[in-house]
Amino acid sequence: MVDCYRIEKKLGSGRFANVFLAHSDESEGKPSEPVAIKRYTSETSNLEAGEELVHASTVWHHHSTGPPNLLRFIRPVLDPATSVAGSVPYGAQEPPVYALVFEYCNLGTLEELIASRLKLAPAVFFTPLEIMNVARQLCAGLAALHDLCIVHRDVAPRNILVHRVPTGYLVFKLGRGTALFLVSTKRGR
């Protein structure tokens, strides 16, 4: 458990964080929507985790529902299971460590989607129309970030999440993380 979220399984891991599929406790008899919880590893400093929280909060503050092609940040939660080793002097109190709760994208990353499609149909795994759709959606996500003076420094298939909506349409979303860099809080135009 992290806060009110029940962790179900690990979705992925990297040097700085592990991501888990979770659900909040059911309320009023309705099943909860799945979420992705990003828990930082001991390799990550509170400063790096804090920077990601600032970026996620900046985007969320400016877009009440979030731009459709950016991974939607839900909220930070205190993570009692994560500890940043060596972050405080001996005998001092350990600072709180936060996990970040994001929307869950049910198809994983674009890198995983490409790999699975290559296995099924290596000759034509994306049509030209699908490629144009992916490019259009990613440009919309980048434009939303740039409007907030945030630069994504690592646009790559592993950092692009894919969600299939009930109509079957694929939505491509730029993930956040350490690849984001806040250029300025003011627009110099």
Side-chain angles (χ1 to χ4, degrees):
M1 282 293 275
V2 174
D3 197 61
C4 66
Y5 296 97
R6 185 179 66 260
I7 292 180
E8 294 182 13
K9 68 177 184 176
K10 184 186 269 189
L11 296 172
S13 60
R15 180 174 171 207
F16 299 110
N18 296 307
V19 179
F20 297 87
L21 172 64
H23 283 84
S24 65
D25 290 336
E26 294 183 30
S27 61
E28 300 175 18
K30 298 178 190 173
S32 65
E33 289 292 317
V35 296
I37 296 184
K38 186 172 192 176
R39 298 174 89 176
Y40 293 95
T41 65
S42 60
E43 296 286 320
T44 308
S45 71
N46 267 348
L47 178 61
E48 290 165 319
E51 285 176 357
E52 183 170 3
L53 178 57
V54 167
H55 293 133
S57 298
T58 299
V59 171
W60 186 249
H61 173 74
H62 286 48
H63 301 277
S64 60
T65 59
N69 300 109
L70 295 178
L71 186 63
R72 185 171 54 90
F73 169 66
I74 297 172
R75 68 188 186 107
V77 292
L78 278 173
D79 189 353
T82 305
S83 172
V84 180
S87 61
V88 294
Y90 178 76
Q93 186 174 356
E94 188 83 15
V97 176
Y98 289 91
L100 301 183
V101 181
F102 293 95
E103 71 178 303
Y104 170 65
C105 291
N106 56 19
L107 291 182
T109 66
L110 180 56
E111 183 175 62
E112 295 164 338
L113 181 62
I114 290 169
S116 68
R117 284 197 175 186
L118 278 172
K119 288 178 186 173
L120 296 174
V124 182
F125 65 99
F126 277 106
T127 67
L129 188 60
E130 287 175 314
I131 292 169
M132 288 182 353
N133 181 40
V134 172
R136 181 188 56 76
Q137 290 189 47
L138 295 179
C139 287
L142 287 170
L145 285 176
H146 294 175
D147 284 346
L148 299 171
C149 298
I150 297 175
V151 176
H152 196 298
R153 299 181 292 184
D154 193 14
V155 178
R158 70 179 176 278
N159 293 327
I160 298 166
L161 296 158
V162 187
H163 185 74
R164 183 183 303 278
V165 296
T167 61
Y169 184 72
L170 297 182
V171 179
F172 296 87
K173 298 175 178 265
L174 287 170
R176 296 185 172 94
T178 56
L180 298 180
F181 180 71
L182 186 60
V183 176
S184 169
T185 56
K186 294 184 180 179
R187 303 252 350 201
R189 291 187 182 198

